[in-house]
Amino acid sequence: MNDKERILTTIAAMTAYSTTEHRVFDENTIRWEHIHEDTELKKGDIVCGMTNPNHEFGVSFFIERTGYSDFLVQEIGSNKTCNYTNEMFLVLRNFPDMYKLCGNEHKIMLKIRKALYDIYMWKFVKVDFEPKKLKITLREKWTNNMFSFDFDYDCPLSRVTLKSLKIAIENETKSK
């Protein structure tokens, strides 16, 4: 399954469950919301064109607003962009950022999770990507105690190894 298929499948599954009639809606519910002139959007939000979403940019990442009903969007799973104009849009609210990761970033997230298989007391929360640095956040199992640490690397992101991540996580979690 490629990045686009994985993200769209996750969106379908999460929104299907969150919109069933037995669910109680609150401000953290994953949901689609109409975009108005004053709707606050941030780069990376998932948007959907309402008129005809059946093309590669129909559900995509928001980059910037270029007019009232005009957006610059990026295709999910690629770097292709499109100036999507004269359209009504929906934005997906409360969709976890970790499920939006594509390419090498998604692979790094999976490596971090795999590195934690043998480290019994800690669960993965998130990873933030900075140039030549990963900020990894973990949670102690059965508690809300979280901590973050930086993992510096001096190679392309695709060359960061599971072994180096596991060693760093073990060293950081020993002191906690």
Side-chain angles (χ1 to χ4, degrees):
M1 182 180 292
N2 66 32
D3 288 331
K4 187 172 189 173
E5 292 167 340
R6 177 182 47 78
I7 291 171
L8 292 175
T9 301
T10 305
I11 289 170
M14 289 183 155
T15 57
Y17 177 73
S18 68
T19 57
T20 56
E21 58 193 53
H22 73 279
R23 295 281 297 175
V24 176
F25 293 104
D26 62 27
E27 67 275 357
N28 297 320
T29 301
I30 297 170
R31 65 188 183 284
W32 289 102
E33 218 175 69
H34 287 276
I35 295 177
H36 305 287
E37 187 174 348
D38 58 346
T39 301
E40 190 173 317
L41 298 169
K42 65 182 188 318
K43 185 175 181 178
D45 280 345
I46 295 176
V47 295
C48 175
M50 291 180 55
T51 306
N52 180 13
N54 297 324
H55 54 84
E56 59 194 13
F57 297 101
V59 178
S60 50
F61 292 126
F62 170 81
I63 297 176
E64 69 178 330
R65 182 176 258 168
T66 56
Y68 173 72
S69 60
D70 307 332
F71 289 178
L72 180 63
V73 297
Q74 177 183 337
E75 180 185 13
I76 293 174
S78 83
N79 290 323
K80 294 193 304 188
T81 59
C82 173
N83 195 15
Y84 204 166
T85 63
N86 194 28
E87 178 65 279
M88 289 177 39
F89 289 95
L90 298 172
V91 61
L92 187 60
R93 294 293 189 205
N94 303 316
F95 190 72
D97 288 338
M98 288 297 101
Y99 290 110
K100 296 179 191 177
L101 296 178
C102 294
N104 288 329
E105 291 180 348
H106 181 256
K107 290 176 184 173
I108 286 293
M109 187 260 306
L110 293 176
K111 286 179 184 179
I112 294 168
R113 287 183 174 202
K114 191 171 186 177
L116 283 163
Y117 286 171
D118 298 329
I119 303 172
Y120 182 68
M121 290 303 297
W122 297 94
K123 295 289 282 180
F124 173 78
V125 175
K126 69 176 185 167
V127 60
D128 294 312
F129 296 87
E130 299 172 14
K132 299 296 180 186
K133 185 190 326 186
L134 303 174
K135 186 176 180 82
I136 299 171
T137 304
L138 304 175
R139 179 183 56 79
E140 190 174 7
K141 285 186 179 177
W142 305 292
T143 72
N144 287 325
N145 300 337
M146 289 197 269
F147 87 101
S148 297
F149 66 94
D150 293 337
F151 175 84
D152 297 315
Y153 59 95
D154 58 359
C155 59
L157 187 59
S158 61
R159 299 243 180 189
V160 173
T161 65
L162 173 62
K163 183 177 180 180
S164 64
L165 287 165
K166 187 171 184 174
I167 290 169
I169 292 169
E170 285 173 345
N171 290 339
E172 290 292 331
T173 57
K174 279 182 188 175
S175 62
K176 297 292 174 190

